[in-house]
Amino acid sequence: MGNINAAVDLQQDGDVAVIVMDNPPVNALGYVLRGGLMQAMEAVRAKPEAKAVVLIGTPRAFSGGADITEFGTIQKQPLLPEVIAVIEAFDRPVIAAMSGVALGGGLELALGCHYRVAAPGSKLGLPEVKLGILPGAGGTQRLPRLMGPVAALKAIVAGTHIPVEKAEGLVDAMCATREEAVAFARSCIGKPLARVRDRDEKLQEARANPGLLDEAAAPLLKRARGQLSPAACVQAVMGAVNLPFDEGLALERKLFRDLVNSKESRAQRHAFFAEREATKVPGMPAGLKAAPVKKAAIIGAGTMGGGIAMCFANAGIPVTIVELKQDALDRGMGVVEKNYRTAVSRGSMQEGDVAKRMALFTATTDWSAIADADVVIEAVFETMEVKREVFTKLDAIAKPGALLASNTSTLDVDQIASFTKRPQDVLGMHFFSPANVMKLLEIVRGKASSYESLARALAIGRAIGKVSAVVGVCDGFVGNRMLHKRSAQAEALLLEGALPQQVDAVVTKFGFPMGPYAMGDLAGLDVGWRIRQGRGTTAPIADALCEAGRYGQKTNAGYYKYDGRTPSPDPEVQRIIAEQQRKLGVNPRTIGDDEIFERMFYPMINEGARILEEGIATRPSDIDVIWMNGYGWPIRTGGPMHYADTVGLKHIADRLDFYADRNGDETLRPAKLLRDLANQGAGFAPPTKAAA
Ligand code: 3HC
Ligand code: NAI
């Protein structure tokens, strides 16, 4: 509690006034903080002894930006642009002393100050685009004036958190402590007030050469695949170059207002809160602290094991990889090193870092090397027999209290836990391929998994930069279980008369980076074929492709033919489909894009409803997190369950009934939860923080 209000304290340090923002956890600029800032500025105005002002936050955050929960509501006065205008117009120097993060409105607040200093390690940025909006408190007008419009455009459209050490032009001095910031402020007394709005020198080049920004914007917009907010960011930065400052501000404000009320932004705000919510486990004792992980071990150096081990090394955590045979170990470590070399050649890693990362690995065939690991993750062959062998060994060797995790994608985690005498320490940590790249981590909670184990798995996910969601045990968990429903429809649609390129086009038009067949070709069609053979199931067209040696990209032919990685439709595939239709006595028909769309997505949503009914996922938004981070579901629609709510559950349930009747396929019948909610006119999700 400050002396101005609940979020702001005003202190005097000799001839410098210090305004301290303290609105935990991240100094979000809600109306209490904004009001406090306004009052504090007025209080300083009345203090002639204050010759300069320092505006400071907490070590964690100068400010994480506007309070996102206020979006979509009628915001209370004063608004952030008004606070910034008062600071910018102040008659004595105001210095922003940044630490932790200065993001969004937080950075915009600092840009409105006359000078900026920052503690080493601070992160600065305008990430609004990730919430489906654009900076709305002058960021699009002031950042280009400090960084130059091209660099600012790239930073704003990407929404990057820029390490202060690389934030050229943004800060006037590095100040590790409050005392240093106050000393800097003292050095500004009597100097002319440096207002960013008055600085035009970095805009001149783009003003003289109007093509410059267009050229920089083109690839950014292409990557944005039609999302509204990146295009608005571009428009506003162009305004910074071409319009007088106040007109640029007005343009930015208008674009901001439009976007805040858009469906896209609502969906992206939902995604923001959903990710944070997914890490909360109902019933977990408050304040339960996860024991730290100082050393990790991975069993198996194959596709997944190598990638998972890289995640730990990338986070600076020593990691031991255990393999059965030396040659498999050498192969696995070779792949790891090659991946790091590729990162260097692409410029995403420094040459010197390769040796540093590799030094964190211990590669061995000696199991005793895992005895001191805090977490062991198993990524060996996917059979229960091999899992039994491995977990029996882990039980004998791992230290008491170590977390024992399986990366299994299909097997019963409870059964795996039963191979040990410590099932409370066992759970699934389901990474996605390539594990060092994909963000999603499904944490599979077994019947016996303890809260300590869950807390630890969540802490590990955070430490290695994953987006985690806790799920229950079932075949395929959440993500793959829903994917199977889509795959079944993908197969059925081909048999009924659609072509791979038609279906893929519908799915990519919705915003997925890839359609189901292109994805199948990338992953390898033989994987599913072997699983079907093991389970005694069939998929006539997929099986026929594999029987013809078409495994996807790796054989240059699958649902498409390939020239390198570029797919093109293949008449041979059409022939194979026709042959299967003949064999099964199916009369192909023309299938419209609307039907394809509904059959791709509604059965998945239906399965999501079943997953909720069974308690496999805690909340609908957890399912959204899984699909947005693991499978490329377009964030601008907020994930399958959020999207379903925007479409209306009655429509979805009715269409599912229609397809179930027409195709005689009871698996398409709406789940009870879906039908019940539809009858009540309700959605899956109760209104959330972002739903306003
Ligand atoms: N508004 C409201 N709540 C916020 C928030 C914000 N801007 N930023 C974080 N929070 C909340 C989170 O929801 C979370 O709440 P919970 O504990 O109840 O789940 C809590 O603060 C802590 O957040 P994290 O778990 O994410 O904490 P981290 O330390 O991992 O990360 C962060 C901190 C980097 C600040 C991260 O929270 C973040 O990226 N926040 C959003 C930053 C952002 O997008 N700012 C722009 C906002 S829009 C804007 O400023 C508009 C302006 O242009 C007008
Ligand atoms: P892989 O075949 O590439 O690698 C498995 C490795 O485990 C091999 O190097 C093998 O030598 C080693 N191994 C086998 N038995 C062992 C033992 N007893 N002790 C030590 N090492 C042993 O397999 P992949 O693809 O890495 O899969 C591993 C696990 O990850 C499986 O459970 C799989 O279901 C799961 N998974 C796989 C995904 C994928 O896309 N490949 C995605 C998510 C999970």
Side-chain angles (χ1 to χ4, degrees):
M1 183 76 189
N3 57 14
I4 294 287
N5 71 7
V8 176
D9 199 48
L10 175 60
Q11 301 163 6
Q12 190 69 29
D13 194 336
D15 50 0
V16 177
V18 181
I19 300 176
V20 183
M21 301 185 283
D22 191 6
N23 184 27
V26 300
N27 268 331
L29 286 153
Y31 77 93
V32 175
L33 180 49
R34 296 195 302 272
L37 285 174
M38 207 65 143
Q39 287 173 42
M41 290 307 293
E42 289 318 311
V44 178
R45 201 187 290 288
K47 281 181 173 219
E49 69 275 22
K51 303 276 188 274
V53 188
V54 167
L55 181 56
I56 197 166
T58 63
R60 180 174 179 183
F62 174 76
S63 168
D67 184 337
I68 304 165
T69 60
E70 286 184 2
F71 291 163
T73 64
I74 297 172
Q75 285 205 351
K76 293 190 191 152
Q77 306 281 337
L79 300 183
L80 188 56
E82 292 158 15
V83 179
I84 293 173
V86 165
I87 290 175
E88 191 169 56
F90 207 62
D91 58 356
R92 283 155 270 170
V94 185
I95 289 86
M98 297 182 280
S99 51
V101 291
L103 297 174
L107 181 60
E108 293 176 297
L109 182 65
L111 293 172
C113 294
H114 304 118
Y115 298 95
R116 280 150 299 283
V117 299
S122 306
K123 298 242 169 64
L124 321 181
L126 295 174
E128 284 88 341
V129 73
K130 296 190 174 152
L131 299 169
I133 52 175
L134 78 165
T140 63
Q141 306 303 299
R142 292 190 181 90
L143 200 69
R145 286 175 158 80
L146 288 185
M147 288 179 87
V150 171
L153 182 76
K154 287 182 183 164
I156 293 171
V157 173
T160 4
H161 294 190
I162 312 167
V164 67
E165 290 75 11
K166 292 190 176 162
E168 224 166 286
L170 287 194
V171 295
D172 300 290
M174 297 300 291
C175 292
T177 61
R178 166 176 161 154
E179 289 69 35
E180 286 178 29
V182 169
F184 179 88
R186 212 160 267 137
S187 75
C188 299
I189 296 172
K191 278 196 199 161
L193 298 175
R195 295 193 174 99
V196 177
R197 58 178 289 143
D198 300 332
R199 294 179 53 177
D200 273 12
E201 68 276 8
K202 291 213 169 147
L203 303 180
Q204 297 311 333
E205 193 188 352
R207 280 184 180 155
N209 178 2
L212 206 64
L213 270 184
D214 291 327
E215 211 175 288
L220 303 176
L221 291 177
K222 189 163 173 228
R223 228 170 293 149
R225 285 199 239 118
Q227 281 190 75
L228 299 174
S229 54
C233 292
V234 170
Q235 211 186 328
V237 172
M238 292 200 170
V241 172
N242 300 321
L243 298 172
F245 184 80
D246 287 322
E247 283 178 36
L249 268 191
L251 170 67
E252 178 196 84
R253 201 69 204 152
K254 183 192 172 306
L255 292 168
F256 178 83
R257 285 217 179 95
D258 291 347
L259 283 180
V260 159
N261 294 319
S262 68
K263 250 190 188 174
E264 275 192 29
S265 175
R266 268 200 284 272
Q268 289 180 240
R269 274 136 54 194
H270 162 79
F272 175 84
F273 289 115
E275 269 184 27
R276 279 145 188 88
E277 208 59 25
T279 61
K280 292 171 190 152
V281 180
M284 185 181 279
L288 178 65
K289 283 266 172 294
V293 169
K294 297 201 184 97
K295 192 177 161 191
I298 312 297
I299 315 297
T303 311
M304 295 305 286
I308 298 169
M310 284 175 75
C311 298
F312 284 92
N314 294 349
I317 300 169
V319 57
T320 298
I321 299 200
V322 181
E323 257 290 348
L324 277 183
K325 300 216 175 86
Q326 191 61 40
D327 59 340
L329 191 59
D330 294 343
R331 214 177 315 123
M333 289 308 294
V335 173
V336 168
E337 183 153 4
K338 191 169 140 255
N339 284 339
Y340 283 137
R341 298 251 161 252
T342 308
V344 171
S345 65
R346 287 194 184 140
S348 55
M349 197 171 150
Q350 306 275 316
E351 174 64 44
D353 288 339
V354 178
K356 279 191 215 148
R357 299 270 166 97
M358 292 304 291
L360 289 165
F361 285 84
T362 304
T364 180
T365 53
D366 174 8
W367 281 71
S368 66
I370 66 156
D372 59 346
D374 303 300
V375 53
V376 187
I377 302 175
E378 160 282 306
V380 300
F381 299 142
E382 184 74 342
T383 72
M384 201 47 105
E385 258 330 288
V386 184
K387 304 290 185 195
R388 175 200 294 274
E389 184 193 319
V390 168
F391 273 81
T392 308
K393 262 194 202 165
L394 292 183
D395 196 25
I397 301 172
K399 68 179 182 187
L403 180 67
L404 308 181
S406 171
N407 184 45
T408 179
S409 35
T410 54
L411 300 174
D412 180 350
V413 172
D414 289 324
Q415 196 178 347
I416 293 176
S418 75
F419 302 143
T420 73
K421 289 188 261 337
R422 35 173 140 174
Q424 74 280 0
D425 298 340
V426 179
L427 42 66
M429 288 178 79
H430 186 214
F431 290 78
F432 290 71
S433 184
N436 52 312
V437 176
M438 294 298 289
K439 281 264 172 219
L440 179 63
L441 175 61
E442 278 183 331
I443 297 175
V444 188
R445 178 184 192 171
K447 277 196 196 81
S449 308
S450 66
Y451 283 124
E452 285 75 12
S453 298
L454 288 169
R456 206 164 203 194
L458 285 162
I460 292 169
R462 196 174 166 91
I464 63 176
K466 298 296 176 200
V467 174
S468 304
V470 177
V471 301
V473 176
C474 68
D475 190 11
F477 313 126
V478 170
N480 284 344
R481 180 169 158 180
M482 288 167 68
L483 183 66
H484 291 153
K485 295 292 164 193
R486 193 179 81 174
S487 308
Q489 290 307 307
E491 170 77 19
L493 281 165
L494 295 193
L495 209 52
E496 290 170 44
L499 285 173
Q501 50 273 26
Q502 186 194 359
V503 179
D504 276 354
V506 170
V507 173
T508 50
K509 186 168 167 230
F510 183 55
F512 273 81
M514 269 186 177
Y517 310 103
M519 192 176 120
D521 280 356
L522 179 67
L525 303 180
D526 51 324
V527 182
W529 187 37
R530 290 216 172 88
I531 293 175
R532 285 194 296 280
Q533 282 172 336
R535 292 183 172 182
T537 57
T538 56
I541 293 169
D543 291 350
L545 290 171
C546 288
E547 279 153 22
R550 303 179 69 108
Y551 293 172
Q553 283 196 23
K554 60 181 144 187
T555 55
N556 286 325
Y559 286 105
Y560 298 94
K561 59 182 173 189
Y562 288 86
D563 181 8
R565 297 174 129 215
T566 312
S568 52
D570 190 348
E572 177 59 12
V573 172
Q574 240 170 302
R575 195 196 60 74
I576 290 174
I577 294 173
E579 193 177 293
Q580 292 306 315
Q581 287 163 340
R582 256 193 319 276
K583 259 194 199 163
L584 294 163
V586 177
N587 255 340
R589 61 191 170 88
T590 303
I591 302 183
D593 286 358
D594 287 348
E595 173 171 349
I596 290 175
F597 183 91
E598 291 176 348
R599 288 181 62 192
M600 284 285 93
F601 299 122
Y602 292 3
M604 277 179 47
I605 291 165
N606 200 25
E607 196 63 14
R610 287 197 192 100
I611 283 170
L612 286 172
E613 267 170 15
E614 293 167 25
I616 298 294
T618 306
R619 344 169 157 81
S621 59
D622 291 0
I623 299 177
D624 293 334
V625 167
I626 288 169
W627 268 82
M628 286 186 284
N629 290 286
Y631 300 83
W633 185 288
I635 184 172
R636 65 165 180 252
T637 65
M641 310 316 271
H642 177 86
Y643 174 72
D645 284 352
T646 62
V647 171
L649 299 191
K650 180 166 183 324
H651 172 73
I652 292 176
D654 289 350
R655 296 304 293 161
L656 284 166
D657 267 333
F658 167 79
Y659 291 120
D661 291 339
R662 194 198 60 191
N663 288 20
D665 181 352
E666 282 307 306
T667 67
L668 291 171
R669 196 68 69 198
K672 180 171 181 325
L673 177 70
L674 174 56
R675 184 40 87 193
D676 287 351
L677 289 170
N679 288 345
Q680 293 158 23
F684 286 117
T688 63
K689 286 183 191 177

